[in-house]
Each structure stands twice: as C-alpha cells, then as structure tokens.
Amino acid sequence: MLPGAVIGWDLNAALALGDALGIPPVAMAELLPVIEAVMVAKLNEQMEHSHG
C-alpha cells in the first residue's frame, strides 16, 4: 500500500448513488469497475504530480 494513494472507491455508496439517480443496478455493476479503475489511476497520477 502506498501512503496517500487512492486504492478504490466505496462501491456500496456508488451503487446507492446510481439507485438514487435511477440507474439500473445491472448497469451500475457493469460500469463501476471500469470507471473506478480509470478514476483511481487518474487520481493517483494527479497526486503524484502535485507531491513529487
């Protein structure tokens, strides 16, 4: 584990947000892992550039 790195999202919260927005759970389950992987990589990239 890297100090200060993002390693993932709270997927339960993301699923709840999708539900509140009216997005079907099947669609959320299909899309969230892909979206999470990209966002985690980008957040860590941004944090690396701002701290190093």
Side-chain angles (χ1 to χ4, degrees):
M1 180 146 109
L2 299 171
V6 175
I7 58 171
W9 284 356
D10 180 344
L11 291 182
N12 286 330
L15 288 169
L17 177 61
D19 185 50
L21 294 171
I23 301 170
V26 172
M28 292 296 290
E30 187 74 25
L31 296 173
L32 277 174
V34 176
I35 293 168
E36 178 190 28
V38 172
M39 290 302 298
V40 165
K42 291 295 180 182
L43 285 169
N44 285 327
E45 183 180 300
Q46 286 180 351
M47 288 185 343
E48 182 179 307
H49 288 294
S50 68
H51 291 100

